[in-house]
Amino acid sequence: MNAKASGITATPAPHRTGDKSLEAMRARISDYCDRFGVEPPQLRIRLGRIQMDTATLDWFETSGASLDWILSGDPLGMASTYRERYALRDVAPASPETAGALH
């Protein structure tokens, strides 16, 4: 079944692709706030860039938003942090024989 047939639409989302423009950062902040019920930060913009002042850094810390994701659109930092915190550490890695069974 393709995505369209399943009701999932693949709409272009430049704010999710690693776009580092100010517009993309604002879109990721808006998306994050909408998804998690967080108030957006009061951003200071200078020369088209977000200024990392104490209030902005405090927002990242208290909201749980990922700097990597918001600023560069790179989800790897979030995925790595999640894995470190919540992965099952006592599970043996999949062998080549069992890895094929997972698909």
Side-chain angles (χ1 to χ4, degrees):
M1 176 184 299
N2 66 30
K4 193 171 188 176
S6 68
I8 299 170
T9 57
T11 56
H15 64 282
R16 296 176 186 250
T17 60
D19 184 348
K20 295 179 184 179
S21 70
L22 181 58
E23 178 184 352
M25 289 181 214
R26 287 182 188 265
R28 286 190 290 267
I29 289 170
S30 178
D31 186 45
Y32 185 87
C33 292
D34 289 347
R35 287 178 186 270
F36 299 106
V38 175
E39 289 294 319
Q42 295 293 322
L43 298 175
R44 286 188 31 223
I45 309 299
R46 183 166 180 244
L47 301 174
R49 295 181 178 246
I50 295 173
Q51 299 301 296
M52 284 296 141
D53 58 10
T54 303
T56 303
L57 292 172
D58 285 347
W59 179 83
F60 276 99
E61 185 175 345
T62 59
S63 72
S66 164
L67 279 164
D68 292 333
W69 170 243
I70 298 295
L71 300 180
S72 70
D74 181 3
L76 186 57
M78 288 189 305
S80 297
T81 299
Y82 180 86
R83 184 160 194 240
E84 287 173 16
R85 288 186 184 169
Y86 304 108
L88 299 174
R89 298 179 192 276
D90 297 330
V91 176
S95 68
E97 297 81 29
T98 59
L102 297 175
H103 297 286

